[in-house]
Amino acid sequence: MSYETLTHTLDDGVLTITLDRPEQLNAFTVTMADELERSFREVNDNDDVRAVIVTGAGRAFCAGMDLSVGGNVFGLDESKRPGLADMDDLADPRVAQVRDTGGRVTLAIHDCRKPVIAAINGPAVGIGATMTLAMDARLVSQKARFGLVFGRIGIVPEAASTWFLPRIVGMADAIDLMLSADILDAEQTVARRLANGVHGTDELLGAAKELADRWTKGRSPVGVALTRQMIRRNSAYEHPVEAHRVDSLAMFWTSVGDGKEGVAAFLGKRAPEYQGRASQLPDFYDEWLSRGQ
């Protein structure tokens, strides 16, 4: 399938999605939003993929929204006057040009059944930064810059970043990062707990691939998918008993599935040969996700 703003490369189970508008510093557009959302929805059904890396072509990761386009640069319909009630059904076509495009992307990343790693090779500003907050790890090159700069242009944080960011850095630091709107260099990005580590430019993708392998190679695809979603969703419940309900179902179905092979491989001192597929999770999974929406 062809893409206008992205390239896809699959190597040994790791899909690398490259933001591919280098002459525009990979600036974000509505088309890029559509293609990223589609990519992360479709990867759930692709059992050839065990992990996803996102990076940028050229010298930038993503320089934020492309502010050079005509009309409303965020792709929104200025003739509408929406309120909270209008947002009840996000699938309603009437709110398609009210919904934040970045949020469509980060919700798709959040729902992804495969671990997602950002390899931030250069400037990541605005949506270029907030889209990575929905990912599971952020690695930065020495040339990376990270900026939550919304306050500088009179808008608010988007891409559901006010949900993701406090979970990564805590409430006080989230408020400071958003309101100060500073652009951080690579070392500052790591110091503020926004990234896992700094790597040489030529070593960045290798480090991201190594992390993807450490998380997923030789692991049950079903176990990885369920674990990722359990950590993301169970921690948001008000009481641990809700996590217990999900844990119980997930443990039951993995114990009668890939868990049997995992135990046999451990006892036999051999590598496991898991047969489960992330595209075919237990029946409770879709019901569980729908309750949280």
Side-chain angles (χ1 to χ4, degrees):
M1 189 174 293
S2 62
Y3 294 86
E4 190 178 316
T5 68
L6 310 175
T7 59
H8 290 63
T9 305
L10 181 61
D11 179 26
D12 188 28
V14 178
L15 175 66
T16 299
I17 299 176
T18 303
L19 312 180
D20 196 12
R21 302 183 71 223
E23 293 182 1
Q24 295 80 28
L25 301 181
N26 305 318
F28 193 85
T29 64
V30 175
T31 299
M32 184 179 285
D34 293 340
E35 293 183 350
L36 282 169
E37 182 181 15
R38 189 177 86 202
S39 296
F40 283 104
R41 300 292 182 196
E42 290 179 350
V43 79
N44 288 334
D45 295 320
N46 187 348
D47 291 313
D48 292 331
V49 176
R50 54 185 170 84
V52 181
I53 295 171
V54 182
T55 194
R59 60 190 181 90
F61 179 79
C62 175
M65 201 77 190
D66 189 338
L67 303 181
S68 68
V69 300
N72 185 293
V73 297
F74 303 102
L76 306 178
D77 183 350
E78 296 185 6
S79 70
K80 294 184 179 294
R81 293 295 179 266
L84 279 175
D86 297 301
M87 305 306 292
D88 286 345
D89 181 6
L90 294 177
D92 188 335
R94 291 175 294 182
V95 298
Q97 287 185 284
V98 173
R99 290 188 64 188
D100 162 45
T101 52
R104 290 198 285 112
V105 173
T106 55
L107 289 176
I109 295 170
H110 182 63
D111 290 343
C112 188
R113 300 180 184 184
K114 319 295 171 74
V116 183
I117 299 166
I120 303 174
N121 55 301
V125 179
I127 180 59
T130 54
M131 77 165 82
T132 72
L133 300 178
M135 302 178 192
D136 302 301
R138 287 155 297 284
L139 309 184
V140 294
S141 81
Q142 295 165 333
K143 297 181 179 179
R145 298 292 183 269
F146 197 94
L148 301 166
V149 296
F150 311 98
R152 297 188 180 202
I153 58 172
I155 59 171
V156 297
E158 35 62 275
S161 56
T162 51
W163 192 91
F164 291 109
L165 184 61
R167 285 167 167 76
I168 296 170
V169 302
M171 186 67 71
D173 279 346
I175 290 174
D176 180 63
L177 286 163
M178 288 298 194
L179 295 184
S180 64
D182 291 335
I183 296 178
L184 310 177
D185 64 20
E187 296 290 349
Q188 290 171 322
T189 301
V190 173
R192 298 299 297 266
R193 292 173 292 159
L194 291 163
N196 302 59
V198 181
H199 301 271
T201 303
D202 295 335
E203 301 167 352
L204 179 65
L205 283 177
K209 175 68 161 52
E210 183 178 337
L211 180 58
D213 287 346
R214 184 157 63 88
W215 283 354
T216 64
K217 205 159 195 177
R219 303 288 195 270
S220 162
V222 173
V224 170
L226 289 174
T227 299
R228 181 181 191 268
Q229 290 300 327
M230 289 162 69
I231 291 172
R232 285 174 164 266
R233 296 171 188 274
N234 288 358
S235 61
Y237 286 129
E238 292 184 0
H239 195 285
V241 71
E242 299 299 333
H244 169 66
R245 291 187 172 98
V246 176
D247 293 350
S248 298
L249 290 171
M251 177 60 91
F252 178 89
W253 287 108
T254 53
S255 74
V256 302
D258 279 343
K260 285 187 178 297
E261 168 61 11
V263 171
F266 177 81
L267 295 175
K269 298 181 179 180
R270 60 173 175 82
E273 298 180 8
Y274 296 119
Q275 301 301 311
R277 296 173 176 267
S279 62
Q280 299 172 357
L281 296 183
D283 289 344
F284 81 88
Y285 181 79
D286 288 336
E287 179 186 4
W288 170 43
L289 263 60
S290 67
R291 286 187 176 185
Q293 296 175 355

